[in-house]
Amino acid sequence: MISPVSISSVAAALILSPLLRSIINRTKAGFAGRQGPPWLQPYYDLIKLLRKGAVYSRTTTWIFRASPVAGLTMALGALCLTPMGGENSVLHFEGDLLLFAYMLGLWRFFTILAAMDTGSSFEGMGASREAFYSALAEPALLLGLEGLALKAQSASLSGIYAALENSVSAGGHAATLIFIMLAFLIIYLTENARIPVDDPTTHLELTMIHEVMVLDHCGVDLAIIEYAGALKLWILGLLITGLFVPIQAGATWLNLGASILCLFLLAVLVGVIESVMARFKLVKIPQLLTGAFVLAALWGVWIARTQL
Amino acid sequence: MKLLLLFSLSAYPVTAVLSLLPGRRSQLSGWINPAGSMLAALLGFFPAMHALGGGAVEFQSAWSFPIGSFHLRLDALSAWFCLPMLMISALAASYGRGYMRHSGDQTSVNLHWFFFQLLSGGVYLTLMAWDAILFLIAWEVMSLSAWFLVMFDHENPTVQRAGWIYLAATQLGTAFLLIMFVMLGADGGGLDFTLFLGTSRAAGLVFIFAVLGFGAKAGFFGLHVWLPEAHPAAPSHVSGLMSGVMIKMGVYGLLRILTMLPAWAEWWGWLLIGAGAVSGLGGALFAMAQHDIKRLLAYSSVENIGIVCLGLGMGMLGFQHQCHTIALLGMAGAMLHVLNHSIFKTALFMGAGSVAHATGAREIDLLGGLQKRMPVTAAIFMLAAAAICGLPPLNGFISEMLIFLAAFRGVMLGPAPDVSVALGGIAVVVSLGLTGGLAMMCFANVFGVVFLGEARHACCEHAHEAPWSMRLPMSLLAAACVLAGLGGFWLIQLAASAAVSIHPAGMNDGAAEMLLMETAVLLKVSALALGLIVVFLLLSLARSRLLRDRDVRNVSTWGCGYASPSPRMQYTGSSFVQPALHAFRLFFRVKTSGDPPSGRLPVRARFSSYIADPWLNGFYEPLLKAAAAGAVRLRRIQHGRVHYYVLYLILALIAILIWSLH
C-alpha cells in the first residue's frame, strides 16, 4: 500500500525543505545586488541552534515547552497526507483534506498558546493577528479544496491531485484551476508569514506577526520551530505546485523530480514577490484574504450558471 | 427494559423530594443527588442502548386527565439524547456538591437540589413523552425548574433580570409549541404522537412554529437572548446542565416533529442551513466580544447549535434529493455534535466555575496566570477548548468532519441533477470554516488570557486548585473528549442509528454504505492520531535528552529591553479580539467610555468597552415596551363602570350571533 515513491517524497521533504528558505533568500539577494548567504545556511543555522542550551521566561509553563514539538508533530502528520507528483500520499482516505486543514489548526493553536504563555504584550499582538488572519484564510482554503474535489470527484488530497493531472492534460477547467491557484498562493504567503502579509526580516516587534510569536523561543526549541516552518513551506507549496505540474511527465520518478523543481520555482516566485513588494498595512490584510476567498469561490459561479 | 426505564425515570423525582428532607444543618442533600443521578444513569443506560440497537421501549397507562394518556416511548432518537443527559446530570450533580458546599443557607441549597433533580427528570420525561399533553407538562417542568435554578442568587438584581428574561423567552417559546400541537392534534384527531404521524395537512406552518418554539429553547441566533443572561446568573453546574443538556431539547423537539411530518419541503433544509450559518457566525463573533467568561460560553453554545443546524440542514437537502448517504452523513454529524457539545461545553462551564470559585471573578481581563495555581483545571479547560474548536484528535473534530464530508459530497454531485445540494454544500463549508476559525480565536483567547501569562489582579494571587469533588467530574468529561475522539468509529454507529430514526423510510438505504465507508475513514483518523501522539512523545523525549546536560536558565520575558515589566502590561482579551471585531464592526456597536491620558505627565487614565446584544436592546426591548404601552392603552376600556361592561357583553353576544348566522 505504501509505495517507495510516497516514502521518498516524504524523505525529500524532510531533507530538502530548509533549502526553500535558502532559495527565497538568494533570490532576494539577487534583486538587491547582494551575494546572499550560502546555499546551506538554513542547515548550518539548525545545527547551531540544536547545540545550544536554553533560556526560558519565568512566566512560561509546560505549554511553552510542548508547543514547538507539537508543531513539528503536526507538520509530520500533514506531510503524511500530502501527495506529491500525482502519487498517493503515505496515508490517504476520504476527507483527509479536513484532517490536513485541522492539523494545521492544532499547530496554530499551540503556537498561539505558547505566545500567550510568555505574558508578553508583543507576543499577544502576534497571536491575535495570527488567529484572525488564519480564521479568514481557513474558509478560502476549504472552499478551494471543495472546488477541486468537485473537479476531481474525490474528497481526498491524493485523489484530487491524481485526478487533476488527467483533467488538466485533457484541457478542462483551466480557468477554475488558475483562480484556485491564485487563492492558494495568497493563503501560502499568509500561512508562511511572507510579504505582503508579514515580513520575516522586520526589526520592529510591533509590526510582526509570526516572528514575534516565537520571540522567546531559543536553542533547540527554535530549531524545531524553524524546521517545522520549513516543512510548512514545502507542504503548502505542494498544494499549489500540484495544480499546474506535472502534466504527466511520464514516469513516476520523473513526476517526483518535476514536483521538487516546481517547489523551487515557487520559492523563486516568493523571493520575487518579496523583492518587488512592500508589506501591506495590517488593516489591509483582511481585504487581501477576502480576495483569496472570492478567487476560491469563483468556481461556484460555474455551478450556478450551469443550472440557469 | 420497561421496568429499568421506569425506575431510572422515577429516581429523579424521588431524590428531588428526598433532598428537601434533611434539615438546616445537614449537608446530606449534596450526597443524595449525585447518588440518585448516578443510579438513574446506570439504570437508564441499558434501555437507551437497547433503543439505539433498534428496539423501542414503550409504556402506556391511562391517567385521570380527560385528554391523552401517560404514554412513554424510547426510540433511537430519544435514546441518543438520553445518553448525554444521563451522563451530564450525574457528573454535574457530583460537581455541584463541591461547588455548593459553602454557598449560603442550607434550606435554599436543599431547594436548589430539589429543582436540579426536577430539571434532569423533566428533560428525561420530555425525551420519552409520546403524548402532546405529557410532553408539554414535562417541557414546563424542565423550563420552570431551570428558572428556579437560575434564580438561586435571587437577591442580586442582575440575576433577577436574567431570570425574568429567561422566563419570558421560554414561555414565549412554549406558546408557539402550544399552537403547533393544536394544529397537529386537529389534523391527527388526538394528542398521542402516534396519531400525529404523517397526518398534518399544513406541514410547512407546523415546521415554522416548531423552529420558533424549539429554536427559542435551543438558542438559534435571534431567539438566543436568554442564553447570555441566564447562563452567567446560574451556578456553574447548572449552566453546564442547561447548556449541555437542556438547550439540546430544542434540537430534539424539532427532530421529533420532523419525524412526524408527512413530507419535507426543500426550503426546510435551506431554512436550517440559514439558521445554522447565522447562529454559528453570530454566536462565534459575539462570544469573542464578551468580557465575562460564562457569557462567552453561552454565546459559544449558540454557535454550536448553529453547527448542529448546518449538519441537519445539509442532511435534509440531501434527503430531499435522494442522496441518502449525504443525508445520513449530515444528520449523523449533527447527532454526534449534540453529544460532543454536551461533553465539552459542560467541562468548560465547570472549568469556568472552578475559576470563579477560586478567584471570585468571571471577568476575563482580571484573571491571568492560573495555569500555575490551578494546573489540573487549566489542563482540562485547554483540552475542552481544543475540542470545541474542532481540533483533532478530540471529539469535536469527528462531528465537524462528518458535516464537512456531507457538504463535500454534496458539492461533488455538481450541478447535474439539481444544483441546490451543491449550493448547500458550498454554504455549509464556508460558514462552518469561518465559524471554526473564529471559534479558535475566541477560545485561544480565553484560555490564554485566563490561564497563561501572569496574574492581572490581586484576586488571582490566592487562587487554589478546585477540590477533588469538582476536579473528578471535570476530568471524566475531559477524558470523554479524548475517548469520543479516538473512538469515533464506534460512536458513529450509534449516531447513525439515531439519524436513521429521523426518517427511517428513506435513510435505511444509505446507512449501510455510509457506515462502511466512514467507519474505515474514522479508523484511519484514530490510527493516525495515535501514531502522532507516539511521535509527539518520542520527539519530546529527544528534546529533553538534548537539553539534559546543557545550560538552561530562567529569566523574565523579553520586553525589548524593558527591565521591569508589570502584569498590567500584558495583552488583554479585549485587545486580542479587537482586530476581528473591527473587521466585523458592521454587526455590532462597541460602546466605549473612559478618560484618555492628558497633560504632560498623565496620572490616571481609564478605558472600558462594552458590546450590547443588538437583539435584546435593539429588537426585543423596544418590541416588548411597545407591547406594554399598547396594553396600557387597552386599560381605558376597563374603567369599573358596570353598565358599560353589560354593553360589552351584549355587543359580544350580537357579534357571535351574527357570526354563527353567517
Side-chain angles (χ1 to χ4, degrees):
Chain A
M1 179 178 149
I2 296 171
S3 65
V5 184
S6 59
I7 292 288
S8 36
S9 69
V10 169
L14 293 177
I15 298 166
L16 294 177
S17 57
L19 210 57
L20 293 181
R21 285 243 164 104
S22 205
I23 296 172
I24 296 174
N25 287 339
R26 291 289 286 223
T27 314
K28 286 167 78 175
F31 265 84
R34 290 181 282 117
Q35 193 193 349
W39 287 104
L40 292 181
Q41 189 61 44
Y43 297 92
Y44 300 149
D45 288 345
L46 286 178
I47 292 166
K48 183 184 72 185
L49 286 171
L50 276 175
R51 284 153 77 185
K52 289 199 171 198
V55 180
Y56 290 114
S57 158
R58 271 185 288 270
T59 312
T60 57
T61 60
W62 64 269
I63 290 174
F64 185 80
R65 289 157 181 75
S67 153
V69 180
L72 183 57
T73 313
M74 288 305 117
L76 295 176
L79 188 60
C80 288
L81 297 178
T82 322
M84 190 170 177
E87 285 295 311
N88 278 342
S89 52
V90 176
L91 196 67
H92 54 93
F93 47 86
E94 196 204 10
D96 58 3
L97 45 88
L98 297 166
L99 188 60
F100 177 86
Y102 275 77
M103 281 205 288
L104 295 185
L106 184 60
W107 182 350
R108 200 177 300 130
F109 187 68
F110 266 104
T111 316
I112 290 171
L113 289 191
M116 297 185 83
D117 202 11
T118 61
S120 151
S121 227
F122 295 122
E123 300 199 25
M125 261 174 228
S128 155
R129 291 166 190 162
E130 171 98 353
F132 180 46
Y133 300 149
S134 54
L136 292 178
E138 182 127 325
L141 176 69
L142 288 172
L143 201 54
L145 287 174
E146 199 178 24
L148 297 178
L150 167 63
K151 303 274 175 244
Q153 287 297 308
S154 163
S156 147
L157 284 175
S158 299
I160 286 175
Y161 283 94
L164 281 183
E165 269 181 71
N166 306 326
S167 99
V168 171
S169 47
H173 318 306
T176 316
L177 288 187
I178 289 172
F179 286 133
I180 291 179
M181 204 162 69
L182 281 175
F184 280 4
L185 185 65
I186 296 175
I187 295 166
Y188 184 69
L189 296 174
T190 313
E191 287 282 333
N192 288 303
R194 313 301 308 193
I195 289 176
V197 176
D198 188 11
D199 186 353
T201 56
T202 183
H203 303 290
L204 189 60
E205 287 92 339
L206 269 176
T207 63
M208 296 177 180
I209 300 175
H210 186 263
E211 285 308 298
V212 75
M213 292 174 68
V214 299
L215 209 56
D216 264 82
H217 287 282
C218 62
V220 178
D221 289 341
L222 190 59
I224 296 174
I225 289 172
E226 293 286 334
Y227 184 58
L231 281 177
K232 198 178 196 178
L233 269 174
W234 185 278
I235 296 165
L236 288 175
L238 282 177
L239 293 191
I240 299 174
T241 56
L243 291 183
F244 62 108
V245 283
I247 303 172
Q248 291 290 18
T252 26
W253 291 101
L254 215 58
N255 285 341
L256 204 65
S259 289
I260 294 176
L261 196 69
C262 283
L263 273 177
F264 289 166
L265 286 177
L266 181 67
V268 173
L269 178 67
V270 172
V272 173
I273 292 175
E274 298 221 334
S275 307
V276 300
M277 278 184 87
R279 61 173 294 179
F280 285 148
K281 262 166 71 177
L282 285 172
V283 286
K284 279 246 172 105
I285 297 171
Q287 297 168 16
L288 180 72
L289 288 169
T290 314
F293 177 78
V294 172
L295 286 171
L298 277 177
W299 58 270
V301 178
W302 172 73
I303 282 199
R305 195 207 57 192
T306 326
Q307 182 66 12
L308 298 171
Chain B
M1 284 301 157
K2 213 182 281 180
L3 276 181
L4 275 179
L5 192 67
L6 287 177
F7 275 126
S8 152
L9 179 62
S10 53
Y12 290 110
V14 169
T15 44
V17 174
L18 278 182
S19 61
L20 285 179
L21 295 180
R24 192 171 282 273
R25 293 284 167 80
S26 155
Q27 294 206 337
L28 205 60
S29 61
W31 286 104
I32 293 172
N33 287 283
S37 304
M38 264 175 230
L39 185 70
L42 277 179
L43 294 175
F45 179 73
F46 298 101
M49 291 309 275
H50 178 72
L52 279 173
V57 186
E58 202 156 353
F59 173 84
Q60 189 163 14
S61 88
W63 63 2
S64 51
F65 286 102
I67 31 175
S69 65
F70 192 79
H71 189 178
L72 301 181
R73 189 183 149 90
L74 189 78
D75 64 354
L77 182 63
S78 315
W80 179 257
F81 283 83
C82 278
L83 286 182
M85 178 262 138
L86 292 167
M87 174 176 69
I88 301 296
S89 84
L91 290 176
S94 329
Y95 176 92
R97 197 184 70 75
Y99 191 80
M100 300 298 285
R101 198 182 293 163
H102 304 294
S103 51
D105 98 275
Q106 194 59 37
T107 318
S108 60
V109 171
N110 286 351
L111 258 177
H112 161 87
W113 284 121
F114 174 74
F115 288 116
F116 189 85
Q117 292 302 82
L118 276 192
L119 171 58
S120 307
V123 171
Y124 207 15
L125 190 58
T126 308
L127 286 171
M128 283 186 269
W130 207 255
D131 178 275
I133 300 288
L134 185 63
F135 183 91
L136 284 173
I137 292 174
W139 186 264
E140 282 303 293
V141 168
M142 166 182 92
S143 303
L144 292 179
S145 37
W147 179 70
F148 282 107
L149 289 168
V150 169
M151 293 290 264
F152 179 72
D153 192 9
H154 55 87
E155 279 161 19
N156 183 338
T158 2
V159 171
Q160 284 170 8
R161 179 182 140 87
W164 293 123
I165 289 178
Y166 167 67
L167 197 63
T170 184
Q171 293 309 316
L172 209 63
T174 311
F176 285 118
L177 296 187
L178 269 176
I179 303 175
M180 182 195 76
F181 277 126
V182 166
M183 287 173 69
L184 282 170
D187 289 342
L191 288 170
D192 195 272
F193 280 2
T194 323
L195 297 172
F196 292 171
L197 285 176
T199 53
S200 177
R201 270 171 294 177
L205 209 56
V206 169
F207 179 71
I208 294 269
F209 279 122
V211 166
L212 288 173
F214 289 119
K217 181 63 74 187
F220 290 178
F221 198 70
L223 303 167
H224 68 284
V225 286
W226 65 271
L227 279 129
E229 305 296 330
H231 281 82
S236 288
H237 55 293
V238 176
S239 325
L241 190 64
M242 278 167 58
S243 197
V245 175
M246 192 182 79
I247 64 168
K248 304 295 169 12
M249 290 305 107
V251 179
Y252 166 75
L254 190 60
L255 289 175
R256 177 56 71 206
I257 296 303
L258 276 179
T259 61
M260 295 170 187
L261 295 180
W264 299 352
E266 188 181 310
W267 61 267
W268 299 4
W270 277 108
L271 184 72
L272 283 186
I273 289 184
V278 172
S279 303
L281 292 175
L285 274 176
F286 276 92
M288 221 187 306
Q290 300 310 312
H291 302 309
D292 178 322
I293 184 167
K294 283 175 79 180
R295 264 181 92 89
L296 180 149
L297 292 177
Y299 275 110
S300 140
S301 292
V302 176
E303 174 219 320
N304 280 278
I305 288 290
I307 295 177
V308 170
C309 276
L310 284 175
L312 291 179
M314 192 65 219
M316 287 180 76
L317 274 189
F319 183 81
Q320 231 34 53
H321 294 280
Q322 312 299 321
C323 316
H324 291 146
T325 31
I326 296 176
L328 209 65
L329 264 178
M331 299 263 183
M335 288 291 150
L336 210 50
H337 202 73
V338 164
L339 175 74
N340 290 340
H341 179 247
S342 54
I343 296 175
F344 45 62
K345 183 49 65 67
T346 313
L348 286 170
F349 265 117
M350 288 179 176
S354 302
V355 168
H357 197 257
T359 62
R362 292 201 313 253
E363 174 95 14
I364 295 167
D365 286 339
L366 285 183
L367 299 164
L370 291 177
Q371 163 92 49
K372 292 193 197 94
R373 294 177 178 84
M374 321 172 65
V376 179
T377 306
I380 291 165
F381 198 94
M382 182 174 119
L383 204 78
I388 205 171
C389 302
L391 295 176
L394 304 167
N395 56 356
F397 173 70
I398 305 291
S399 43
E400 288 192 22
M401 177 172 161
L402 291 181
I403 298 174
F404 265 126
L405 267 181
F408 268 81
R409 288 253 187 108
V411 167
M412 273 151 61
L413 288 178
D418 190 285
V419 79
S420 77
V421 185
L423 290 183
I426 298 178
V428 167
V429 164
V430 170
S431 39
L432 200 52
L434 191 56
T435 305
L438 292 176
M440 195 179 94
M441 183 166 189
C442 172
F443 278 95
N445 175 34
V446 63
F447 178 76
V449 172
V450 171
F451 289 97
L452 303 178
E454 295 284 358
R456 288 182 173 75
H457 188 263
C459 67
C460 307
E461 301 290 342
H462 305 293
H464 51 86
E465 184 57 91
W468 69 267
S469 59
M470 288 159 72
R471 256 180 347 217
L472 185 67
M474 285 196 282
S475 318
L476 289 176
L477 285 171
C481 285
V482 180
L483 289 179
L486 293 177
F489 55 88
W490 176 70
L491 272 179
I492 189 178
Q493 323 272 345
L494 300 183
S497 80
V500 165
S501 68
I502 298 171
H503 209 308
M507 288 208 244
N508 266 327
D509 316 335
E513 188 198 341
M514 189 280 285
L515 275 178
L516 206 65
M517 288 194 67
E518 298 320 315
T519 312
V521 164
L522 291 177
L523 263 173
K524 281 187 185 167
V525 171
S526 307
L528 183 62
L530 278 177
L532 287 180
I533 291 171
V534 172
V535 169
F536 173 76
L537 293 176
L538 288 178
L539 283 173
S540 307
L541 198 70
R543 173 188 165 279
S544 52
R545 282 292 287 273
L546 269 179
L547 281 175
R548 195 167 50 186
D549 296 323
R550 301 211 184 135
D551 180 22
V552 176
R553 268 173 293 167
N554 285 313
V555 292
S556 64
T557 299
W558 169 245
C560 298
Y562 187 70
S564 55
S566 95
R568 295 286 304 273
M569 291 164 64
Q570 290 175 96
Y571 221 48
T572 60
S574 322
S575 356
F576 190 92
V577 298
Q578 194 272 339
L581 296 189
H582 178 77
F584 291 100
R585 62 190 176 282
L586 208 65
F587 301 106
F588 32 59
R589 260 175 312 174
V590 185
K591 286 181 192 150
T592 56
S593 66
D595 319 312
S598 60
R600 293 233 169 77
L601 295 168
V603 187
R604 281 187 78 83
R606 199 175 58 81
F607 177 79
S608 69
S609 68
Y610 174 70
I611 290 171
D613 192 309
W615 280 94
L616 187 58
N617 299 320
F619 181 70
Y620 287 106
E621 253 176 41
L623 187 75
L624 293 178
K625 272 190 187 141
V632 166
R633 218 163 283 157
L634 268 184
R635 219 195 262 161
R636 210 175 290 166
I637 60 169
Q638 188 203 12
H639 33 56
R641 293 186 202 125
V642 180
H643 44 285
Y644 277 109
Y645 287 1
V646 174
L647 180 66
Y648 295 160
L649 280 176
I650 291 168
L651 285 177
L653 271 176
I654 291 171
I656 290 172
L657 273 175
I658 291 172
W659 184 61
S660 58
L661 281 176
H662 191 65

